[in-house]
Amino acid sequence: MGKSFFIVAVLVLTLGCAKAQVDPVASLNQVSFDSISLKIGDKLYEVEYAKTFEQRAQGLMFRKTLCEDCGMFFKFSSPKYAGMWMKNTFVPLDVAFIDRNGVITDIKPLTPHSLESVGSSKEVLYALEMNQGWFAGNGIHVGDHVTID
């Protein structure tokens, strides 16, 4: 009886460990995001807000679609030369890097699943990811101002 119990206990623990090794990706999908209102020009946009490390790490990964005016706003812990990559990201995106004063310093394309880091040309505090072509389609350019509500 004791030996059988030990074998069953080891199997249960082994299966539990195997499950735990598979679950990190599933747990990433469970990160929730707040929303934030951004004013660019005379238009107001509400996008998801990634302000914690876990939220920034998840970003828009694993999403298969993104609505027309949907996106994600990232706030970094302090101004820095920031870089974004597209690991596990299916949707083609553009990223606008934004300095501490709310000025867009760069708008750059991002390629789905690329592990190449696309970086800002200056120190920035924020980034805004939107569907590829969204900034151009909405007449938003480097030098424009983003107001955070």
Side-chain angles (χ1 to χ4, degrees), residues 20-131:
Q21 290 174 355
V22 172
D23 281 346
V25 170
S27 68
L28 281 175
N29 288 321
Q30 295 176 8
V31 172
S32 62
F33 297 91
D34 295 323
S35 62
I36 191 167
S37 295
L38 305 174
K39 186 175 182 185
I40 308 173
D42 60 350
K43 292 186 180 177
L44 195 62
Y45 302 96
E46 188 164 322
V47 296
E48 290 179 272
Y49 185 22
K51 60 184 173 183
T52 68
F53 174 80
E54 292 77 17
Q55 291 169 330
R56 288 190 303 271
Q58 163 97 26
L60 292 169
M61 290 192 327
F62 306 110
R63 306 219 188 154
K64 302 288 183 165
T65 61
L66 194 60
C67 76
E68 186 177 329
D69 285 331
C70 293
M72 187 165 289
F73 185 73
F74 297 80
K75 180 178 182 186
F76 304 112
S77 54
S78 61
K80 64 180 185 173
Y81 285 89
M84 306 295 269
W85 66 340
M86 295 284 283
K87 181 178 181 180
N88 298 318
T89 306
F90 295 88
V91 180
L93 301 171
D94 283 339
V95 60
F97 291 106
I98 305 163
D99 71 14
R100 72 176 85 204
N101 298 314
V103 176
I104 297 174
T105 63
D106 307 271
I107 298 174
K108 296 185 175 180
L110 300 170
T111 304
H113 301 291
S114 175
L115 300 181
E116 178 185 345
S117 182
V118 175
S120 62
S121 64
K122 299 176 182 177
E123 284 192 350
V124 296
L125 187 56
Y126 312 102
L128 175 61
E129 289 181 339
M130 301 295 284
N131 284 304

